[in-house]
Amino acid sequence: MILLLAAAWLAGLLLALALDLEPTPLLLLATATAPLGLALRLAGRNPLPAILLGTLLLGCWRGEAAGVPGLALDTGVERELTFRGRIADDPEHSRQFVRFTLVVEEVDRGNGWREERGKILFYAAPPRNMVAAREPPYFRHGDFLALGGTAGKPGKIDGFDYAAYLASQGISGVVFSRDVEWLPEESGGSWRTGIYRARGRLSDSLAAALPSPQSSLAQGMLLGRRGQISQEVRDSFRQTGTAHLLAISGLHVGVILAMGMGAAGAIFGRRRQFYLLLPLAAIWVYALTSGLPVSALRAGLMGSLYLAAIALGRPHNPMPALALSAVVITAFDPLALTQVSFQLSFTAMAGVLLALPWAERANDALRNRPTGGGPTWKTGAARLGGWAASGAIVSVGATVGTFPLVALYFGQVPLLGIPLTILALPSLPFILGTSLATALGGLAHPILGQVLGVAAWAPLSYLLAVVSAPPGPAVATGWAGPPLVWSWYLALAGVLLVPKGLLARLRLGSWWSSITSAMGSVRTPFNSRVLTLVLVAGTAALAGATLLLWAQVIWGPDGKLRVYFFDVGQGDSALIVTPKGRQVLIDGGPDTYSATRALPQGMLPWDRSLELVILTHPDADHARGLLETLDQYRVGLALAGVPDATAPMSAMWQDRLTGNRVELRRLASGDRVELEEGVTLEVLHPAEERIGGAARNNNGLVLRLVYGEVSFLFAADIEKEAEEHLADSGQTLESTVLKVPHHGSRTSSTALFLDRVDAEAAVISAGADNRFGHPHTEVAARLEEMAGPDNIYRTARHGNIEFVTDGVDLWVKTER
């Protein structure tokens, strides 16, 4: 009955999407079906046709009544618009900007404010008054803002119609804005604001406890915050057909549900329905922890109704519960039916729930296999096998459920998607469980978070290894269309409607019965189980601490100086590691997470300390990445040159220093910084008097690192005027390695300056195919004349570049 009513409701919604009908007549017709049904009942006939017709008409009416048009934006015209509205989601860092959805209330199109309603996806920089008053990412849910910018619509991303995806969520366009006004007197939060702030604290805890990329992956999978995940990791998931593992969806909630039911059955037994409260609490705690996105809310509702079906004695028929959840969701938001996220979440959850009984049987069969008094490790292996088998079955269920939609929307199906998902899915419970423990432990104390992080690091690294496989072949699915989708799901529905007796014989038969009857059941007292869990957790914590100590011993300092030049795109970032292990970061690159992603290349994964952080000048391509570094690492001291209050990053730089209690010292020409005995940083610039030209570039901090007979010159972004000043200053410029000034710009690396430096090797830190044309061909020619063509290293070409020296000899390693 529920299935038929849900089908009628959804059919009505689909009719509303396909047809343009007036809502009022539809409501009147739906009302008229009530006396029709009563008449059929009084006549001794079945009233079901009238009920179904009324439900269909109600669905059609609800769909037509919800048809609210979005903002009318002329994205083909380069015209500045100003919007006023309120932030409706959890703002998140995205490279140089903060990303959030704004519910627009008013728009100024050049002729004054007018009331217009809709949603816009904004990428914006925070204003100074917001930076002074708050911690990152500064913007919050409920903030009321006035923002200026030019509206646009994104194109397709690897065949995926991103603009259509945004439109399905009611988002009319995308705006990048640097002109932001915060109106605090009109701002206000809601119950979601508290959830988002707690989510932010958990995210910061994971970032502080785990190295990159494991920390970003944990934040994405546990909290739904994917802004830190690098493009390289995203591409790996996408190319291998496992991108669905990154999105909070029915698959994740289904895994949590399966974990919760397994744990509840092991702890409390399944004789009473009380055990269902544990998986119910687990899925909603997870949904809240992830920030309660719409996908998690939908999946949580589906899972809750499934548990209710079990409690009411209908555990083997999850479809009515799923159908009811679809009706409830679309009753509140009829347009959800058109959203890709809803369709994928619903079908994934359906696949998981249909596969769950099989997964439970496989898990129980392997866990309860009698060991015959054998060693304990056999019992542990059987339990691990049960988890793996359950994960594989759930993965197949989710894949079968979503296959036609993936083919329809993404244009291709990677053939490795299914086997890699089966390999990856067993790690999901461990990732989610250990990541949550790490986040909570880090809130209690950073050291506890790092110790627990060892347990999270292992499954996260395993998943990264799985998805780093070669992309493999993919089947192009341009031929996939609605007929495929309808045929697939009608076929699955037909399988589900096979008579139970026949289905039981096909699925179980005497073979399965003989196996399950041979399985013993291991009963352990409740207190003994809890004690075992406590002992396991304590052992894991001690093992984690031991691993940390041994890692420090094995991978500690080796008595050589190392200098890393990181590939951070169009910007600068370098790390110095002294022979005794002191670590100095010079600049942080152009993106929010440039430095934090790069630092694990030159440091131990668990090392979260930097003795020095140096900012050569406050332009975003050097400074932005240092902001997050100050948040995630324990920094002993910050060094910088002359202050420049006009620089866009200056306010945020000072705010992070103050918020993290990091002392700042200003340096000038003639200063020396002894990193340790025999390793010195000489400050060559800025001079006491500011130099003109491009003032911010020409007054940057120029450093010369000296270790024995080997030296490195970090020339920041100085240009011709500063180079001439240095050449005439009488200071020693001659160096073994030159970090080329200003990314190889034509305005820098003059012949006079290069003659004074006379380097044996040069490093150009610039992005591939950057819009500035760096390095300039004339500069490249002069550098090759100075050091030879084989000794010019480019981060865009060679990736991360590592120089190693014992003070006499010099070795170079490149990433590619």
Side-chain angles (χ1 to χ4, degrees), residues 249-259 306 318 322 344-360 390-391 393-402 425 428:
S249 65
L251 174 62
H252 294 70
V253 174
V255 169
I256 294 292
L257 179 61
M259 289 171 56
Y306 173 72
L322 281 173
L344 290 175
S345 180
F346 185 86
T347 53
M349 193 70 183
V352 168
L353 293 183
L354 290 172
L356 199 56
W358 288 87
E360 290 179 354
S390 298
I393 293 171
V394 168
S395 173
V396 172
T399 302
V400 169
T402 58
L425 200 63
L428 224 60

Side-chain angles (χ1 to χ4, degrees), residues 383 529-543:
R383 291 178 177 176
R529 294 177 188 270
V530 173
L531 179 61
T532 300
L533 291 175
V534 172
L535 290 174
V536 169
T539 303
L542 289 174

Side-chain angles (χ1 to χ4, degrees), residues 431-463:
I431 288 173
L432 297 176
T434 56
S435 295
L436 179 59
T438 299
L440 294 174
L443 292 180
H445 196 281
I447 295 180
L448 179 59
Q450 289 188 9
V451 171
L452 293 173
V454 175
W457 180 85
L460 288 164
S461 299
Y462 167 79
L463 179 58

Side-chain angles (χ1 to χ4, degrees), residues 123-148:
Y123 291 80
R128 287 181 179 269
N129 65 330
M130 185 177 280
V131 171
R134 290 179 172 175
E135 71 279 0
Y138 306 111
F139 295 102
R140 291 180 186 169
H141 171 267
D143 280 345
F144 195 83
L145 308 170
L147 309 97

Side-chain angles (χ1 to χ4, degrees), residues 640-687:
V642 296
D644 187 346
T646 65
M649 303 299 301
S650 292
M652 284 188 276
W653 165 252
Q654 189 58 52
D655 173 67
R656 298 297 180 91
L657 292 172
T658 303
N660 291 287
R661 300 179 181 179
V662 178
E663 180 186 354
L664 173 64
R665 292 183 186 175
R666 298 287 179 181
L667 299 177
S669 176
D671 290 336
R672 292 170 60 90
V673 180
E674 296 290 338
L675 300 182
E676 65 182 44
E677 184 178 356
V679 183
T680 305
L681 271 176
E682 300 174 350
V683 182
L684 308 182
H685 197 66

